[in-house]
Amino acid sequence: MSNKPKHEHEANKLHKCLRHAVGQAINDFNMIEQGDKVMVCLSGGKDSYALLDILRHLQASAPIDFELVAVNLDQKQPGFPEHVLPEYLTSIGVPFKIVEEDTYSTVKRVLDEGKTTCSLCSRLRRGILYRTAKELGCTKIALGHHRDDILATLFLNMFYGGKLKAMPPKLVSDNGEHIVIRPLAYVKEKDLIKYAEIKQFPIIPCNLCGSQPNLQRQVVSEMLKDWDKRFPGRIESMFSALQNVVPSHLADTELFDFAGLQRGQSLKHGGDLAFDSETVSFNAPRDDEDEGLPEKPARKVINILGSKPKAGGCGAG
């Protein structure tokens, strides 16, 4: 008996799982709104391919209307296959723009041999993408960072930057003109690897930085993968912690009024407990911030996982 039905079932199950995770992140952080024009940054890697693919499926069935435009920055790396992305995007009918900027030569000229290129490359790329979003009239910039990227950034900032800081699912751009969103914030990298294999995306490797040994991010990523194998649930618990921040139990005087703390004062998260005894719920709704911080204003959020009426039935399931 053929394994094809089982393979198709698993592929469909994974697609629905990813679609739900992306839709949930969009809902939770109000990433996409009616009339948005979303610029999807497409690098040619598995993450950005999956991001575009899932957003297209959500676009077909969402109860709101929004546009998608794919943008690739051709950084003029030697051997870059310039035909791959235009051919792929044309085949699936997605509007796109290829921006040609020789940042490769700039990075190689400015940095000494052996220095890691990621930081400078990222800054140059970011500025060009902001400019392109403005030229195209885009209201949101979608990046392909996933859950593991967010956690790796958290540890990089703690280990090397002395900050409790990660990649936010939604943020205002450096120049203040754009909203940057990360719809894959709830998605595991290992699921994206499986999805890319199933969909057979034409992956383009990054030769500029991919061959650099001992990158700090690479080391941290390997640490997280090792934890995920040896301690099931640890990664989920750490990501849940990013959504359950307790300022009164940290040490940042700008986030909590430690100087003004009085005996008998009631705190939402309790007193001096070293460790919470209750079981962590990965999907539990987070509380508001501690006493003294403003509550979030109530707002109506449209569920992008809902369906808009269409002749002949709904869109992607």
Side-chain angles (χ1 to χ4, degrees), residues 6-278:
K6 181 179 179 181
H7 176 75
E8 290 178 351
H9 172 74
E10 291 299 321
N12 187 50
K13 182 179 178 182
L14 177 59
H15 172 77
K16 287 183 176 180
C17 177
L18 293 176
R19 182 178 179 274
H20 185 270
V22 171
Q24 190 63 53
I26 292 173
N27 290 341
D28 287 350
F29 298 95
N30 196 29
M31 291 184 185
I32 299 177
E33 301 168 274
Q34 173 66 32
D36 269 341
K37 185 173 183 179
V38 183
M39 185 177 97
V40 183
C41 299
L42 197 64
S43 66
K46 68 182 189 312
D47 305 329
S48 57
Y49 273 124
L51 173 62
L52 178 62
D53 187 76
I54 297 165
L55 286 179
R56 287 180 63 229
H57 282 89
L58 287 171
Q59 183 188 39
S61 61
I64 58 173
D65 294 310
F66 60 94
E67 296 180 57
L68 295 174
V69 57
V71 170
N72 169 254
L73 173 57
D74 180 356
Q75 299 175 269
K76 297 304 174 184
Q77 296 178 29
F80 183 79
E82 298 178 359
H83 65 285
V84 172
L85 285 171
E87 289 179 0
Y88 172 77
L89 294 167
T90 299
S91 72
I92 62 175
V94 171
F96 68 91
K97 180 178 178 64
I98 306 296
V99 181
E100 298 186 13
E101 293 276 355
D102 189 2
T103 61
Y104 178 86
S105 295
T106 301
V107 170
K108 289 298 185 181
R109 183 179 70 253
V110 172
L111 294 181
D112 295 330
E113 190 68 29
K115 294 285 186 180
T116 57
T117 61
C118 292
S119 179
L120 176 58
C121 181
S122 177
R123 289 199 303 273
L124 293 172
R125 187 169 63 244
R126 189 162 58 232
I128 296 167
L129 292 174
Y130 290 166
R131 184 194 71 205
T132 304
K134 189 172 183 178
E135 292 171 354
L136 295 175
C138 295
T139 54
K140 302 284 172 61
I141 299 175
L143 303 178
H145 299 117
H146 45 70
R147 185 199 66 176
D148 301 60
D149 287 327
I150 293 173
L151 283 174
T153 302
L154 171 69
F155 282 98
L156 281 167
N157 280 318
M158 283 197 295
F159 293 166
Y160 306 107
K163 292 182 180 179
L164 198 60
K165 173 184 174 183
M167 282 180 178
K170 180 181 179 182
L171 191 67
V172 176
S173 62
D174 290 350
N175 63 7
E177 295 182 352
H178 307 283
I179 295 291
V180 176
I181 58 175
R182 295 182 170 95
L184 299 181
Y186 292 165
V187 176
K188 305 173 185 177
E189 183 178 24
K190 57 187 176 184
D191 288 338
L192 291 170
I193 293 172
K194 293 177 187 175
Y195 194 64
E197 292 173 353
I198 291 169
K199 301 291 289 188
Q200 296 187 320
F201 295 131
I203 304 298
I204 302 173
C206 178
N207 297 321
L208 178 61
C209 59
S211 61
Q212 296 179 97
N214 301 320
L215 288 176
Q216 292 170 345
R217 179 172 290 275
Q218 189 174 318
V219 172
V220 169
S221 295
E222 290 302 318
M223 177 191 76
L224 292 174
K225 289 176 184 176
D226 178 57
W227 284 355
D228 192 34
K229 289 179 182 177
R230 293 195 293 135
F231 310 106
R234 174 177 286 188
I235 301 297
E236 286 76 12
S237 181
M238 288 190 298
F239 190 82
S240 179
L242 291 178
Q243 298 176 286
N244 291 280
V245 179
V246 185
S248 63
H249 287 55
L250 295 174
D252 192 324
T253 57
E254 292 188 10
L255 290 182
F256 185 79
D257 184 13
F258 291 99
L261 194 62
Q262 302 293 322
R263 284 182 296 174
Q265 183 175 337
S266 177
L267 299 176
K268 283 188 177 182
H269 298 281
D272 187 24
L273 290 177
F275 190 78
D276 295 335
S277 58
E278 62 268 20

Side-chain angles (χ1 to χ4, degrees), residues 260-317:
L261 194 62
Q262 302 293 322
R263 284 182 296 174
Q265 183 175 337
S266 177
L267 299 176
K268 283 188 177 182
H269 298 281
D272 187 24
L273 290 177
F275 190 78
D276 295 335
S277 58
E278 62 268 20
T279 302
V280 174
S281 174
F282 299 143
N283 297 312
R286 60 159 293 163
D287 294 328
D288 287 327
E289 301 293 347
D290 284 294
E291 294 287 347
L293 294 180
E295 293 187 0
K296 300 173 185 175
R299 59 175 174 78
K300 182 180 179 182
V301 177
I302 296 174
N303 186 352
I304 202 167
L305 287 170
S307 298
K308 57 186 173 188
K310 290 186 179 182
C314 299

